[in-house]
Amino acid sequence: MILGGFFDPDKLSKDLLTLQKKLQDPEIWKDHKKLSELNKQKTVLETKVNEYSDIEIKISDIEDLVSISIELNDTDELKNQGIALAQLNAEIDSLETKKYFSKENDTNNAYLDIQSGSGGTEAQDWAEMLYRMYMRWSEDMGFKVRIEEYSVGDVAGIKSVSIHISGQYAYGWLRTETGIHRLVRKSPFDSGNRRHTSFAAVFVSPEIDDDIEIDFDMSQVRIDTYRASGAGGQHVNKTDSAIRITHLPTKVIVQCQSDRSQHRNKAQALSMLKAKLYELELKKREEENELLSSSKNEIGWGSQIRSYVLHPYNLVKDLRTNVETGNTIAVLDGELDQFINEALAKNL
C-alpha cells in the first residue's frame, strides 16, 4: 500500500510501544518538561497510527461493497462507492503531504497575522480579502479559529488582524504562507476604474508550549492599552481592555482584544509575542544554515511569495514554486492546497 512508504506503520507501532513503556517509568513523572515532551510525541504517533488504520479500514470496506454491488448488479451502490473512493483519495493525498511535516513545531497550533501594506484603502481591502481567504481555508480544514486582534480600515477593509488557528498540524500547514501577497485589479474605490497594485504581509508563527522558555527583558517591552475597535463581529469585544505590546529591540508588535479582561488580554499578548520571537529565532537559525549549505532560497518576512491578478486576466501564481491557476475565485474562497502542498514538497 502506498502509504506504507510514508508512514511505515510497523515502525510507528513499535515506536509507540517503546514510548508507552517510557511513560510507565516513575522517574519520568518527576521531570515535568520531559514528561510533556514524551506525551506530545505519543499524541503525534497515535494520530499517525490511527490515520493509517482508518485508511486501511475504509479501503477494505469499499472493496467489500464494490464486490457485493457487482454481484448484485447494483449500479447505484457502485456510484456511491465511486464517490467514497474519490473522498478517500483526497484523504490519502492529505496524508501524503504530511510526510513533509518534519519541523519541530509542525504539529502545533498557529498564529496568523495579516498586515496591510502602504496604499490606504486599497491595501486595507486586500488585507480583508486575505483574512476571509484564510478563514475559509481554516473552516474547510476543520480547524478552530479565534480572533485575537482586528483593526478596521479607515474607509474599508482592515489595517491588521491576528488569528489563533488550532488543530492538528495547523502550523505545519500554514508556515509556508509567510511573506508578501500582491494583488493586481481594477480598483472598486477608484472613480476612474484604474488598475491598482496592493500588498499585504502575512506572518505565521507556532503556538509554543509553556515549557519552552523565551527570555526577554520586560524593560525592553512597551505595553499600551486602547479601546477595541470595530468590526470583528461577535468575536471582538468593544471594551477599553485591548492590549498592544511592542518588543523594542526587534520592533515586533502584537495586539490582543479578544477578552473583556485586560489582564487576560495582556497574558495572551505576551504568549503571542513569545511565539513571534521564537519563530524569528528559528528563521534566523535556518538562514544561517542556508548560508552555510546554500541548499535553498531564502524565504523571509519581506519576500513576495504570491501574486493574485484579477485584471487584465485571472491568474494566481506562486513565485517560489511556479504553481499557478486561473481560478482566482476558488483561491480567494480558500482553496490553497495546491500552493501549500507544493511549497511543503519543496521544503520552503
Side-chain angles (χ1 to χ4, degrees), residues 39-74:
N39 274 321
K40 185 177 178 180
Q41 292 176 19
K42 177 173 171 282
T43 299
V44 172
L45 285 173
E46 285 177 337
T47 298
K48 288 184 177 181
V49 169
N50 290 337
E51 284 174 335
Y52 183 89
S53 177
D54 186 53
I55 291 292
E56 287 210 311
I57 290 170
K58 288 180 179 178
I59 288 175
S60 178
D61 288 345
I62 290 174
E63 287 177 343
D64 290 343
L65 287 169
V66 166
S67 296
I68 293 171
S69 300
I70 291 174
E71 288 180 16
L72 299 177
N73 197 25
D74 188 342

Side-chain angles (χ1 to χ4, degrees), residues 14 46 67 77 88 91 133 165 176 188 242 269 283 315:
K14 289 178 182 177
E46 285 177 337
S67 296
E77 184 58 32
L88 184 59
E91 289 184 42
M133 180 181 77
I165 302 173
T176 60
K283 293 285 185 187
L315 179 71

Side-chain angles (χ1 to χ4, degrees), residues 2-3 55 58-59 62 81-97:
I2 60 172
L3 287 177
I55 291 292
K58 288 180 179 178
I59 288 175
I62 290 174
Q81 293 312 308
I83 295 171
L85 186 58
Q87 293 172 339
L88 184 59
N89 282 333
E91 289 184 42
I92 291 173
D93 288 342
S94 177
L95 287 180
E96 287 180 358
T97 301

Side-chain angles (χ1 to χ4, degrees), residues 22 94 103 183 198 204 255 261 266-267 281 300 305 318 326 330 343:
K22 283 184 180 180
S94 177
K103 295 187 182 291
L183 172 70
S198 306
V204 182
Q255 300 177 93
S261 164
K266 180 181 176 182
E281 179 60 28
I305 66 166
D318 194 291

Side-chain angles (χ1 to χ4, degrees), residues 266-320:
K266 180 181 176 182
Q268 182 61 22
L270 285 171
S271 176
M272 294 162 66
L273 176 61
K274 287 181 179 181
K276 277 198 171 186
L277 293 178
Y278 184 69
E279 174 66 6
L280 286 174
E281 179 60 28
L282 290 179
K283 293 285 185 187
K284 181 181 175 182
R285 291 178 188 176
E286 286 181 6
E287 287 167 9
E288 289 173 351
N289 290 335
E290 288 162 15
L291 288 173
L292 290 173
S293 65
S294 300
S295 61
K296 61 180 182 178
N297 295 325
E298 179 183 351
I299 303 172
W301 167 245
S303 302
Q304 183 179 319
I305 66 166
R306 194 174 301 142
S307 288
Y308 306 70
V309 181
L310 307 184
H311 181 81
Y313 48 82
N314 289 318
L315 179 71
V316 180
K317 182 173 181 176
D318 194 291
L319 304 179
R320 305 161 301 172

Side-chain angles (χ1 to χ4, degrees), residues 91-325:
E91 289 184 42
I92 291 173
D93 288 342
S94 177
L95 287 180
E96 287 180 358
T97 301
K98 287 182 180 179
K99 71 179 179 178
Y100 302 116
F101 293 155
S102 57
K103 295 187 182 291
E104 183 179 353
N105 298 292
D106 279 349
T107 60
N108 294 20
N109 298 331
Y111 291 107
L112 185 144
D113 299 315
I114 302 171
Q115 179 74 46
S116 63
S118 58
T121 301
E122 281 292 333
Q124 290 167 12
D125 188 56
W126 171 224
E128 185 173 42
M129 291 168 67
L130 286 174
Y131 161 70
R132 177 182 176 274
M133 180 181 77
Y134 286 115
M135 291 292 279
R136 289 287 185 90
W137 177 86
S138 299
E139 180 182 336
D140 290 342
M141 292 292 289
F143 292 152
K144 293 181 181 179
V145 176
R146 183 178 71 241
I147 300 170
E148 300 293 356
E149 181 273 336
Y150 189 105
S151 298
V152 296
D154 298 320
V155 177
I158 58 174
K159 294 177 181 177
S160 64
V161 66
S162 183
I163 312 164
H164 178 265
I165 302 173
S166 58
Q168 188 69 245
Y169 297 102
Y171 175 69
W173 284 112
L174 283 166
R175 60 175 160 82
T176 60
E177 290 298 290
T178 290
I180 303 298
H181 296 244
R182 169 178 172 260
L183 172 70
V184 180
R185 64 171 175 175
K186 278 189 175 181
S187 170
F189 306 101
D190 186 332
S191 58
N193 201 28
R194 290 169 294 187
R195 188 171 70 174
H196 284 250
T197 299
S198 306
F199 296 90
V202 174
F203 185 80
V204 182
S205 54
E207 181 181 35
I208 60 175
D209 296 335
D210 291 337
D211 293 332
I212 297 177
E213 296 180 4
I214 305 297
D215 294 324
F216 56 86
D217 188 346
M218 287 300 292
S219 68
Q220 296 180 322
V221 170
R222 187 177 72 240
I223 301 177
D224 301 305
T225 60
Y226 63 99
R227 177 179 289 273
S229 62
Q234 63 181 351
H235 302 287
V236 176
N237 298 311
K238 297 180 180 179
T239 71
D240 294 312
S241 59
I243 294 288
R244 179 186 296 109
I245 298 180
T246 305
H247 185 244
L248 300 175
T250 60
K251 310 299 182 187
V252 168
I253 299 173
V254 295
Q255 300 177 93
C256 184
Q257 58 184 40
S258 60
D259 201 283
R260 293 184 182 275
S261 164
Q262 187 181 105
H263 176 74
R264 283 193 289 270
N265 281 336
K266 180 181 176 182
Q268 182 61 22
L270 285 171
S271 176
M272 294 162 66
L273 176 61
K274 287 181 179 181
K276 277 198 171 186
L277 293 178
Y278 184 69
E279 174 66 6
L280 286 174
E281 179 60 28
L282 290 179
K283 293 285 185 187
K284 181 181 175 182
R285 291 178 188 176
E286 286 181 6
E287 287 167 9
E288 289 173 351
N289 290 335
E290 288 162 15
L291 288 173
L292 290 173
S293 65
S294 300
S295 61
K296 61 180 182 178
N297 295 325
E298 179 183 351
I299 303 172
W301 167 245
S303 302
Q304 183 179 319
I305 66 166
R306 194 174 301 142
S307 288
Y308 306 70
V309 181
L310 307 184
H311 181 81
Y313 48 82
N314 289 318
L315 179 71
V316 180
K317 182 173 181 176
D318 194 291
L319 304 179
R320 305 161 301 172
T321 63
N322 290 321
V323 171
E324 61 182 57
T325 177

